[in-house]
Structure formats: structure tokens, C-alpha cells
Amino acid sequence: MLTTDYSVSQYVSDIRAIINRGTDNKKLTELIKPLAKRLAASSELQQDEYRVCDEKQGFGVHLLHEEDNHDLGVFVLSWLPDRGTLPHNHLTWAVVAVVEGSEQEVHWRRNDDGTKSGYAELEKTGEITMHAGDVAVCMPNDIHSVWNTGENLSISLHTYGRHINFTGRSQFDPESNSEIPFFVTVED
């Protein structure tokens, strides 16, 4: 992938302009995808500090930008080999661009009506493996899991309509049919 000189500040400014147009989430994320791909190829994301992972959670979360009201969260996530997440939602739109390595994204559908607290029935509906330069989109109620399938660290750029620890999102365990709140540790 060709390296660009696109910066985080330019990216944020471009996204703000798109958001100010007042478009729906689907159109908004489609407009952000090429920008995310461009930033993912930026030399600005090739810093050693973004390679740091939290061993306990299996990945590192590095905040690049967040608005004062917690909107527009931009992160670099670094994934340890053979580690990832349980299925989860975001409750906000998301655009994810792989910077380095490969990540398997599994898509899930919730089959229960969500009325029983702490309970969720999920069904796997598909999966893709993303590589450097690939970009994916999630809508607020989409459920997916992410796994680093490679033997080396995987790094990806994540852009959310709202900081993920301020959306009230959930993670799910399909084996026990459970749903619990999902928060991540953000690296200092």
C-alpha cells in the first residue's frame, strides 16, 4: 500500500464537513470510507506507540481524536496475534480501515427480541478477512466480532460517530446466550 501524507487533523476536518451536510449514516459512512483508507496509508499511523497492546484485553486502543461531547471518536487499534473480541455492537456508525496485517470480521444477527435483560440469541451470518487497505462499515445496530488471524500484530484505524465507551454498547457470548456492557481500556 502506498504511503500518504494525509494527517489525522485533515481527516477530522474532512469528516466534520461531511457530518455538517446532515446526511444519513449509510451515506455518511460511504463518504468517510475513502478518507479512512487514505489515512490508514498515512505515515502518521506508523508510530511505535500504536503497536502497544493490552495483554488482558488482547488489543490496544489508542485515541487519536474525540470531540468534547464524546462524538467523533478516532482510534488506532492494535491486535495481538490470535486475539480479538466477542461479538459486539457499537450503537453508533463505524468505519474501519486495516493499516497492517489481517483481521477476520464475523457478522452476527440477533434472533431474540432484546426484552430479557442480559440475554441474547445470536446467529453467525457471514465472515470476511480484511487486509491492509480494506475498509468496512458498521451501522449502529450491527453486531460483529473481530479476530487477528495472522501470526503478527494487526493494526486498524477505527472511526466512530461517538466514542465507543460512551454509547452504551454490548458484547455478547453466543455460547451462553449472554449480553453484558462492553467497555475497552484506552491506552494513555
Side-chain angles (χ1 to χ4, degrees):
M1 189 165 58
L2 215 54
T3 303
T4 70
D5 62 355
Y6 195 48
S7 71
V8 172
S9 63
Q10 289 171 305
Y11 182 65
V12 168
S13 179
D14 290 345
I15 292 173
R16 284 179 179 150
I18 292 168
I19 290 171
N20 287 336
R21 292 186 212 156
T23 186
D24 66 45
N25 286 340
K26 185 163 177 56
K27 181 67 175 165
L28 177 92
T29 54
E30 287 303 313
L31 292 169
I32 294 172
K33 278 174 69 173
L35 303 176
K37 182 174 183 160
R38 185 175 170 198
L39 184 59
S42 168
S43 57
E44 192 166 326
L45 299 188
Q46 305 299 320
Q47 297 181 37
D48 287 342
E49 66 194 70
Y50 300 145
R51 303 180 78 74
V52 174
C53 293
D54 178 315
E55 185 68 37
K56 184 177 177 187
Q57 70 183 1
F59 52 91
V61 181
H62 309 275
L63 180 65
L64 302 181
H65 174 82
E66 174 186 9
E67 301 287 321
D68 291 339
N69 67 353
H70 305 298
D71 283 349
L72 188 54
V74 181
F75 303 86
V76 170
L77 271 72
S78 50
W79 304 86
L80 290 170
D82 199 31
R83 297 289 297 274
T85 66
L86 286 171
H88 61 276
N89 58 22
H90 297 119
L91 300 182
T92 187
W93 58 262
V95 177
V96 177
V98 179
V99 175
E100 174 185 323
S102 61
E103 298 172 10
Q104 179 187 51
E105 181 181 20
V106 177
H107 303 274
W108 302 83
R109 175 177 50 238
R110 185 172 187 159
N111 291 328
D112 67 294
D113 64 7
T115 59
K116 185 177 176 184
S117 180
Y119 180 82
E121 292 176 17
L122 296 187
E123 175 184 353
K124 184 176 168 181
T125 60
E127 65 182 64
I128 61 168
T129 299
M130 296 180 20
H131 304 279
D134 291 340
V135 183
V137 168
C138 289
M139 291 295 108
N141 291 318
D142 289 349
I143 298 173
H144 76 155
S145 53
V146 180
W147 203 263
N148 177 355
T149 56
E151 295 179 11
N152 299 307
L153 194 71
S154 177
I155 299 174
S156 46
L157 171 70
H158 294 240
T159 306
Y160 302 99
R162 186 158 179 78
H163 185 300
I164 52 178
N165 283 344
F166 293 91
T167 65
R169 73 192 188 134
S170 296
Q171 74 176 355
F172 306 90
D173 184 341
E175 291 183 21
S176 65
N177 291 333
S178 64
E179 175 182 10
I180 61 171
F182 186 26
F183 298 94
V184 296
T185 301
V186 179
E187 303 290 331
D188 291 328

